[in-house]
């Protein structure tokens, strides 16, 4: 009963380095999301996906890329890390629903990233 | 555009009731949610309300929705120290696949 699993839990990057944040879910959810959480700012949507092979930009996509080759996995890639990307990153998933149906999010435990 | 606002801090004494308020802008939202985040953890769904309801009660939790004023509140009765956490208000957008979050209200419970 794993739910949404994110790795790593913590990471320190130097400016200009690259990394991939991993996210996998075992609930067969079609919808997956990446959020970043900054203090006092709530959660901002980076990218989302409504199914395998389909991704779309959220509110703050610059500096990030995603892919969705399978239903289970939704990795987030940082190509050239910048200090502004220091944040806590949350992956989430929800079941597919027709408009008007309940679709609550299931979250992973987050990845705390520091760029120095 | 879509926006959700809530106050950042609330402090209550153990045993008192806590009321966390939220306002939202999307009048077409279908579902509104309260999520709870404990330190070092992800968000967990606490409760939700469908937009055609005005109240929902679940044990110590009462959710009130005023759709005319686009105002949502969460009342926690008999607040315990274990209720100390950040509480996020959120709305499901009209497309049904994007959730918009408020900044979160940090609840402090004093023993």
């Amino acid at each position: 009963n794993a739910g949404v699993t994110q790795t790593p839990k913590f990471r320190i990057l130097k400016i200009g380095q690259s990394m991939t944040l991993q996210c996998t879910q075992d609930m067969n959810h079609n919808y997956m999301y990446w959020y970043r959480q900054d203090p006092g700012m709530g959660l901002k949507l980076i990218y989302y996906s409504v199914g395998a092979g389909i991704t779309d930009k959220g509110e703050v996509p610059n500096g990030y890329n995603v892919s969705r080759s399978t239903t289970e996995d939704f990795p987030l890639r940082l190509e050239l890390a910048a200090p502004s990307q220091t944040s806590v990153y949350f992956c989430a998933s929800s079941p597919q629903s027709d408009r008007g149906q309940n679709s609550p999010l299931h979250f992973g435990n987050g990845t705390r990233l520091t760029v120095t | 555009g879509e926006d959700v606002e809530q106050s950042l801090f609330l402090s209550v004494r153990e045993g008192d009731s806590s009321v966390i308020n939220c306002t939202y802008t999307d009048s077409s939202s279908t579902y509104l949610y309260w999520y709870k985040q404990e330190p070092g953890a992800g968000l967990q769904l606490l409760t939700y309300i469908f937009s055609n309801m005005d109240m929902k009660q679940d044990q110590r939790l009462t959710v009130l929705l005023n759709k005319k004023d686009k105002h949502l509140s969460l009342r926690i009765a008999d607040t315990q120290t274990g209720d100390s956490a950040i509480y996020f208000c959120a709305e499901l957008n009209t497309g049904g696949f994007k959730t918009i979050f408020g900044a979160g209200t940090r609840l402090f419970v004093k023993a």
Side-chain angles (χ1 to χ4, degrees):
Chain A
N1 194 20
V4 179
T5 303
Q6 290 184 239
T7 56
K9 286 188 168 55
F10 304 95
R11 184 72 187 267
I12 298 174
L13 283 182
K14 292 189 186 305
I15 294 171
Q17 286 186 319
S18 301
M19 78 163 294
T20 300
L21 283 66
Q22 301 292 346
C23 175
T24 188
Q25 52 93 6
D26 61 1
M27 297 172 283
N28 201 34
H29 286 170
N30 277 322
Y31 294 177
M32 295 189 75
Y33 310 82
W34 275 105
Y35 287 90
R36 59 177 286 172
Q37 183 182 28
D38 299 307
M41 301 293 289
L43 279 76
K44 298 295 182 186
L45 182 63
I46 305 171
Y47 270 96
Y48 66 98
S49 169
V50 300
I54 306 167
T55 62
D56 212 341
K57 295 177 181 177
E59 301 170 81
V60 290
N62 291 344
Y64 307 95
N65 275 302
V66 293
S67 59
R68 185 92 184 273
S69 55
T70 66
T71 299
E72 294 78 20
D73 300 307
F74 191 41
L76 177 73
R77 177 98 180 139
L78 282 71
E79 288 294 349
L80 291 169
S84 60
Q85 293 177 304
T86 294
S87 189
V88 182
Y89 291 84
F90 287 101
C91 179
S93 70
S94 66
Q96 180 176 4
S97 68
D98 295 328
R99 183 181 294 201
Q101 291 186 355
N102 194 10
S103 189
L105 295 174
H106 299 252
F107 282 86
N109 282 331
T111 295
R112 186 175 295 275
L113 176 68
T114 302
V115 182
T116 61
Chain B
E2 302 153 329
D3 195 18
V4 177
E5 292 191 357
Q6 52 184 129
S7 54
L8 293 183
F9 299 99
L10 176 65
S11 180
V12 300
R13 291 192 180 279
E14 192 174 22
D16 287 351
S17 292
S18 308
V19 179
I20 303 172
N21 294 299
C22 166
T23 57
Y24 61 96
T25 56
D26 186 353
S27 57
S28 302
S29 293
T30 51
Y31 286 88
L32 295 119
Y33 303 93
W34 286 102
Y35 288 85
K36 179 181 179 182
Q37 184 183 31
E38 297 188 9
L43 282 70
Q44 287 194 307
L45 180 68
L46 197 60
T47 186
Y48 68 91
I49 189 166
F50 185 49
S51 58
N52 71 352
M53 299 168 65
D54 51 22
M55 187 180 91
K56 180 179 179 182
Q57 189 141 5
D58 183 2
Q59 299 182 330
R60 292 191 296 122
L61 305 178
T62 303
V63 179
L64 295 178
L65 175 61
N66 181 328
K67 203 170 176 184
K68 175 176 165 289
D69 294 338
K70 300 195 197 87
H71 183 267
L72 182 74
S73 68
L74 173 70
R75 179 176 180 268
I76 305 173
D78 187 26
T79 311
Q80 304 297 305
T81 54
D83 294 323
S84 292
I86 303 176
Y87 291 82
F88 290 90
C89 173
E91 60 171 349
L92 186 63
N93 79 337
T94 52
F97 55 83
K98 275 202 289 183
T99 304
I100 311 300
F101 286 86
T105 299
R106 188 179 291 272
L107 176 64
F108 296 94
V109 182
K110 295 176 283 189

